[in-house]
Amino acid sequence: MCTVTCIASINIAVIKYWGKRDEVLILPVNDSISATLDTDHLHAKTTVMTSSTFKEDRIWLNGKEEEIKNPRLQNCLTQIRKRARNSNQWKVHICSENNFPTAAGLASSAAGYACLVVALAKLYQIEDDITSIARSGSGSACRSVMGGFVKWCMGSESNGADSIAKQIVPASHWPEMRILILVVNDTKKKISSSIGMKRTIETSDLMQHRIKHVLPNRIKIIEQAIIEKDFKTFAEHTIKDSNQMHAVCLDAYPPVVYMNDVSHTIINFVHAYNEAVNEVKVAYTFDAGPNATLYLLEESVPEFMGVLDHFFPPGINLEQYRKGLTFKEVINSQELFNKINTTRQAPGSLKYIIYTKVGNGPKYLEDPNDHLLNKEENHIILSEYL
Amino acid sequence: MCTVTCIASINIAVIKYWGKRDEVLILPVNDSISATLDTDHLHAKTTVMTSSTFKEDRIWLNGKEEEIKNPRLQNCLTQIRKRARNSNQWKVHICSENNFPTAAGLASSAAGYACLVVALAKLYQIEDDITSIARSGSGSACRSVMGGFVKWCMGSESNGADSIAKQIVPASHWPEMRILILVVNDTKKKISSSIGMKRTIETSDLMQHRIKHVLPNRIKIIEQAIIEKDFKTFAEHTIKDSNQMHAVCLDAYPPVVYMNDVSHTIINFVHAYNEAVNEVKVAYTFDAGPNATLYLLEESVPEFMGVLDHFFPPGINLEQYRKGLTFKEVINSQELFNKINTTRQAPGSLKYIIYTKVGNGPKYLEDPNDHLLNKEENHIILSEYL
């Protein structure tokens, strides 16, 4: 019997993956770039176990047994076994859970598939690139297989062999980078990102222009900005790429809309703040939902947090509202508030916020107490939600 | 002394005018197409008067004297006098008012400038094209100078001489066409369309693609659809063009956003309705604000009105809520409601609705009782708001 447990975290794209050129292999129409977040705050945890006594492959997700026949899961298992250096043909039991509520609308599948593939790779002693296997589970999962800033190169081969993720820089290269996730209350029915990107690529007249004439240059610029730690360029292109992804979604037929009025209020607020301090200190980006993710440097955090609380007053007590890293509180001047040309929102327009940073990628947990499966009972306990 | 009074109505574009190639002459970057609405419901009314006794040009707007030195107003007056067939150099008094509240966010400047120029043209006996003069007051005003479906040809001359509006078909060509304006409650600060289009053309990477590669073909298709009375094609391209205009706005830096959550709820509702009836019966379009304008055929109105009232329950009594044309009420089946895959809104998400049709263009009012100015007192009375 052999057991491996691993944690991996979500990643937040600054150049968006939006559109597949192959739906089965999950091959994208463009390169994308993201930062993988610290595993301390938003992670999936997965235990994989093989034993000669297991009769079949099985999987438990967030405490509930799920269908192992899921095609994307099968993609991963098949490829892992094909690449296995040992000839272990034992069945596998998989148990995975997130330490954050899935209802928050934070894309959890990237963390989940990255974690699964990293755990299985150890179990099956695979040592070469596994990002293409994670990709075949959930596209952007390939970027969560490593830490720091990561580029998913779209590749050109039809079998997807060269559609893999590569680290641009490790987290230690730009240790000041911080991430703030603003979780927005939302009641709208959600269009899945798979359906949204399919409809966009099939119906948006602007999409091809984005892919062919905007992204190649933007990718180079933002990669260089990350290497040079040029926050202004990084922030401006992060903002532009988020808005452009949502623009091509709006250009689809019928239009695909993920942001809501609160999202747009956050956008206005960030631009108004940057203008008031006469410097691009904060960047925003939105995925297939209304939540905002902000990129900013550690030195900007105390002032910005005070300003955020002023214009978006918490609707619950601060202990429940603020999750993740701590920071030193400061008192902002009324003069600063006055300079920020935006409207103060009613309390509670943000559900809660998570303050985190760029992380080092997946981590193996060696302590047997961390395993989610043991020999006797397959499924042990759920860790506490964040 | 000589007096002319005229009414002219707003027009609603199906191919949007968005972006100027010359800010002073108001020359657009693309052709646009609109329908001019019936003067019965949403019009500007303007009286112009000359007299040898007038010492200076003066203007009253909605009951208040305004600055005659306004550059766009001067553009119009200068061009009119240059083209005058009579050598009347008397000063002019202008009085104009709208029969709808400007706070409704319905673009009133198009109706206002069209009305002014049409009135002045009669006063100064100008008989050749005056749409380019209206254009120099407010771009889309050139399309309100005539009725029916109208195309504003962008032109290519640097002095703007060929940037003029032409009628595609009169209102009588497609007499079944109806228009429904849904006035949405809004609290957001508005970015003026002038600023919005300037920012879009200066910063959106997608804008050039729209202008060069999408619009030329779309203009041809929708013009043909109007001539052939092909509602489905007309509706689909109207919808696509509205969404694409807002998409390039979102792609601007900082992004320009006019629609709000209610606007998007209307969009979802229209698509859900068309899907439920398995036919494109209703098209929507949005200008630089959250209000929706719907195009639909007269035969679709009774059923659609019932469905609209079901999903967007009026917050006030129907007499105040429904303005404009009347229609025969029908009772829709519960089965139809069930088929429409959208959520019922809380009462009052729409402020009111205006039901109107395509009109015949500006009209001179010959009855002296209709004049807004008389010899003794310059400014007489404001007509009742709609």
Side-chain angles (χ1 to χ4, degrees):
Chain A
M1 200 191 80
C2 186
T3 308
V4 176
T5 295
C6 176
I7 54 174
S9 65
I10 64 170
N11 66 76
I12 302 288
V14 293
I15 303 290
K16 301 299 184 190
Y17 152 51
W18 198 253
K20 298 183 183 76
R21 66 178 199 276
D22 186 310
E23 294 272 339
V24 177
L25 296 172
I26 312 189
L27 302 178
V29 292
N30 61 270
D31 294 349
S32 54
I33 292 177
S34 60
T36 300
L37 304 190
D38 197 301
T39 48
D40 278 0
H41 306 121
L42 295 162
H43 68 241
K45 182 179 182 182
T46 304
T47 296
V48 292
M49 186 187 255
T50 54
S51 160
S52 61
T53 65
F54 290 170
K55 301 251 175 349
E56 50 181 357
D57 294 334
R58 292 176 74 183
I59 187 165
W60 291 260
L61 291 179
N62 292 317
K64 224 184 105 201
E65 182 155 15
E66 301 280 347
E67 183 50 73
I68 193 82
K69 296 277 172 243
N70 174 320
R72 291 178 161 210
L73 193 55
Q74 287 298 321
N75 278 350
C76 292
L77 281 170
T78 308
Q79 287 183 70
I80 285 280
R81 283 175 168 143
K82 212 182 282 176
R83 299 255 291 273
R85 292 186 54 170
N86 51 17
S87 55
N88 177 349
Q89 292 303 320
W90 293 351
K91 297 296 177 189
V92 65
H93 284 187
I94 301 162
C95 184
S96 187
E97 58 182 43
N98 299 324
N99 74 336
F100 55 95
T102 38
L106 302 164
S108 54
S109 62
Y113 274 103
C115 202
L116 171 69
V117 169
V118 169
L120 288 172
K122 188 166 187 191
L123 196 70
Y124 288 89
Q125 296 171 309
I126 298 171
E127 275 158 16
D128 51 350
D129 175 80
I130 53 166
T131 66
S132 67
I133 305 178
R135 190 206 72 227
S136 70
S138 174
S140 61
C142 68
R143 295 187 313 234
S144 276
V145 170
M146 57 201 85
F149 284 91
V150 179
K151 178 179 175 178
W152 174 10
C153 305
M154 61 179 285
S156 57
E157 291 181 28
S158 61
N159 68 356
D162 59 348
S163 188
I164 58 175
K166 290 176 183 167
Q167 191 179 63
I168 299 171
V169 293
S172 59
H173 176 78
W174 206 349
E176 304 85 1
M177 186 60 87
R178 292 293 177 274
I179 287 114
L180 196 53
I181 300 173
L182 312 185
V183 179
V184 165
N185 279 308
D186 194 39
T187 53
K188 226 176 27 185
K189 223 184 306 175
K190 199 174 131 57
I191 301 172
S192 81
S193 59
S194 279
I195 291 174
M197 60 176 84
K198 190 161 189 284
R199 196 189 291 170
T200 306
I201 204 154
E202 284 172 357
T203 64
S204 163
D205 292 315
L206 302 175
M207 181 65 164
Q208 289 304 318
H209 185 78
R210 164 171 166 78
I211 296 167
K212 286 188 194 139
H213 301 292
V214 178
L215 286 178
N217 197 38
R218 181 169 286 161
I219 286 274
K220 279 184 210 157
I221 291 171
I222 213 163
E223 206 172 339
Q224 197 58 31
I226 291 166
I227 290 165
E228 291 172 4
K229 304 205 280 179
D230 168 0
F231 186 80
K232 181 173 186 282
T233 304
F234 170 82
E236 282 179 359
H237 284 273
T238 295
I239 289 173
K240 283 183 182 179
D241 203 64
S242 172
N243 287 329
Q244 190 170 87
M245 180 201 111
H246 293 276
V248 293
C249 285
L250 182 54
D251 188 49
Y253 187 85
V256 176
V257 174
Y258 293 111
M259 297 193 283
N260 64 17
D261 283 351
V262 178
S263 312
H264 287 292
T265 308
I266 295 168
I267 288 177
N268 288 341
F269 165 68
V270 170
H271 284 287
Y273 173 73
N274 286 340
E275 207 176 302
V277 296
N278 202 22
E279 192 184 334
V280 183
K281 284 193 176 181
V282 182
Y284 58 81
T285 185
F286 292 81
D287 287 311
N291 297 335
T293 300
L294 309 184
Y295 278 91
L296 72 175
L297 298 178
E298 187 181 15
E299 61 183 23
S300 307
V301 169
E303 176 183 282
F304 182 76
M305 283 287 206
V307 169
L308 180 69
D309 283 353
H310 176 81
F311 286 98
F312 293 84
I316 53 176
N317 68 59
L318 280 186
E319 280 102 83
Q320 294 176 276
Y321 180 73
R322 285 188 190 157
K323 298 168 194 287
L325 297 172
T326 55
F327 62 94
K328 212 183 144 185
E329 306 245 7
V330 296
I331 309 271
N332 288 313
S333 67
Q334 187 60 45
E335 197 194 338
L336 174 61
F337 293 149
N338 294 345
K339 271 203 278 186
I340 301 170
N341 183 23
T342 195
T343 320
R344 209 171 165 184
Q345 301 300 303
S349 63
L350 304 181
K351 211 186 281 180
Y352 57 86
I353 63 178
I354 304 164
Y355 174 35
T356 184
K357 60 183 181 179
V358 184
N360 296 315
K363 240 183 0 204
Y364 294 109
L365 304 182
E366 311 290 352
D367 184 340
N369 290 325
D370 282 323
H371 293 335
L372 296 173
L373 294 167
N374 67 9
K375 210 179 167 178
E376 289 73 36
E377 311 167 76
N378 280 308
H379 177 232
I380 305 175
I381 48 152
L382 285 175
S383 34
E384 284 300 303
Y385 277 170
L386 184 79
Chain B
M1 201 193 77
C2 185
T3 309
V4 176
T5 295
C6 176
I7 54 174
S9 65
I10 64 170
N11 65 75
I12 302 287
V14 293
I15 304 291
K16 301 299 184 189
Y17 152 51
W18 197 254
K20 298 182 182 76
R21 65 177 200 277
D22 186 310
E23 294 272 338
V24 177
L25 295 172
I26 313 187
L27 302 178
V29 292
N30 61 269
D31 294 349
S32 55
I33 292 176
S34 60
T36 301
L37 303 190
D38 197 300
T39 47
D40 278 0
H41 306 120
L42 295 162
H43 68 240
K45 181 179 183 183
T46 303
T47 297
V48 292
M49 186 186 256
T50 53
S51 160
S52 60
T53 65
F54 289 170
K55 300 252 174 346
E56 50 180 358
D57 293 335
R58 292 175 75 183
I59 186 166
W60 291 259
L61 291 179
N62 292 317
K64 224 184 104 202
E65 181 155 15
E66 300 281 347
E67 183 50 74
I68 193 83
K69 295 279 173 240
N70 175 322
R72 292 178 160 209
L73 192 56
Q74 286 299 319
N75 278 350
C76 293
L77 281 170
T78 308
Q79 287 183 69
I80 286 279
R81 283 174 168 144
K82 213 182 281 175
R83 300 256 291 274
R85 293 186 53 171
N86 50 16
S87 54
N88 177 349
Q89 291 303 318
W90 294 349
K91 296 297 177 189
V92 65
H93 284 187
I94 302 163
C95 183
S96 187
E97 57 184 41
N98 300 325
N99 74 335
F100 53 96
T102 39
L106 302 164
S108 55
S109 63
Y113 274 102
C115 202
L116 171 69
V117 169
V118 168
L120 288 172
K122 187 165 188 192
L123 196 70
Y124 288 89
Q125 297 171 309
I126 298 171
E127 275 158 16
D128 51 350
D129 176 79
I130 53 166
T131 67
S132 67
I133 304 178
R135 189 206 74 228
S136 70
S138 174
S140 61
C142 68
R143 296 188 313 234
S144 276
V145 169
M146 58 201 85
F149 284 91
V150 180
K151 178 179 175 179
W152 174 10
C153 306
M154 62 179 286
S156 57
E157 291 181 29
S158 61
N159 69 355
D162 59 348
S163 189
I164 58 176
K166 290 175 183 168
Q167 190 179 65
I168 299 171
V169 293
S172 58
H173 176 78
W174 205 347
E176 304 85 2
M177 186 61 87
R178 292 292 177 275
I179 288 115
L180 196 53
I181 300 174
L182 313 185
V183 178
V184 165
N185 278 306
D186 193 39
T187 53
K188 227 176 24 185
K189 225 186 304 176
K190 198 175 132 57
I191 301 173
S192 80
S193 60
S194 279
I195 290 174
M197 59 175 83
K198 191 161 189 284
R199 197 189 291 169
T200 306
I201 204 155
E202 284 172 357
T203 64
S204 163
D205 291 317
L206 302 176
M207 181 64 163
Q208 289 304 317
H209 185 79
R210 163 170 168 78
I211 296 167
K212 285 186 196 142
H213 301 292
V214 179
L215 285 178
N217 197 37
R218 181 169 288 161
I219 286 274
K220 278 185 211 155
I221 292 171
I222 213 163
E223 205 172 337
Q224 198 58 32
I226 291 166
I227 290 165
E228 292 172 2
K229 304 205 277 178
D230 168 359
F231 186 81
K232 181 173 188 281
T233 305
F234 169 81
E236 283 179 358
H237 284 273
T238 295
I239 289 173
K240 283 184 182 179
D241 203 65
S242 172
N243 288 329
Q244 189 170 87
M245 180 200 112
H246 292 276
V248 294
C249 285
L250 182 54
D251 187 48
Y253 186 87
V256 176
V257 174
Y258 293 111
M259 296 193 284
N260 64 17
D261 283 351
V262 177
S263 312
H264 287 293
T265 307
I266 295 168
I267 287 176
N268 288 341
F269 165 68
V270 170
H271 284 288
Y273 173 73
N274 286 340
E275 208 175 302
V277 297
N278 202 24
E279 192 183 334
V280 183
K281 284 192 175 182
V282 181
Y284 58 82
T285 185
F286 292 82
D287 287 309
N291 297 335
T293 299
L294 309 184
Y295 277 92
L296 72 175
L297 298 179
E298 186 181 16
E299 62 184 22
S300 306
V301 168
E303 176 183 282
F304 183 76
M305 284 288 206
V307 169
L308 180 70
D309 282 354
H310 176 81
F311 286 98
F312 293 83
I316 53 176
N317 68 58
L318 280 185
E319 280 101 84
Q320 292 176 278
Y321 180 75
R322 286 186 189 158
K323 299 168 194 288
L325 298 172
T326 56
F327 62 95
K328 209 181 150 188
E329 305 246 7
V330 296
I331 309 272
N332 289 313
S333 68
Q334 188 60 44
E335 198 195 337
L336 174 61
F337 294 149
N338 295 345
K339 271 203 279 187
I340 300 170
N341 182 22
T342 196
T343 320
R344 206 172 167 184
Q345 301 300 303
S349 62
L350 304 182
K351 211 185 283 180
Y352 58 86
I353 63 178
I354 304 164
Y355 175 37
T356 183
K357 60 183 182 180
V358 184
N360 297 314
K363 239 181 4 201
Y364 294 108
L365 304 182
E366 311 290 351
D367 184 340
N369 290 325
D370 282 323
H371 295 335
L372 296 173
L373 295 166
N374 67 8
K375 209 178 170 180
E376 289 73 36
E377 312 166 75
N378 279 308
H379 178 232
I380 304 176
I381 47 151
L382 284 174
S383 35
E384 283 302 302
Y385 277 172
L386 183 78

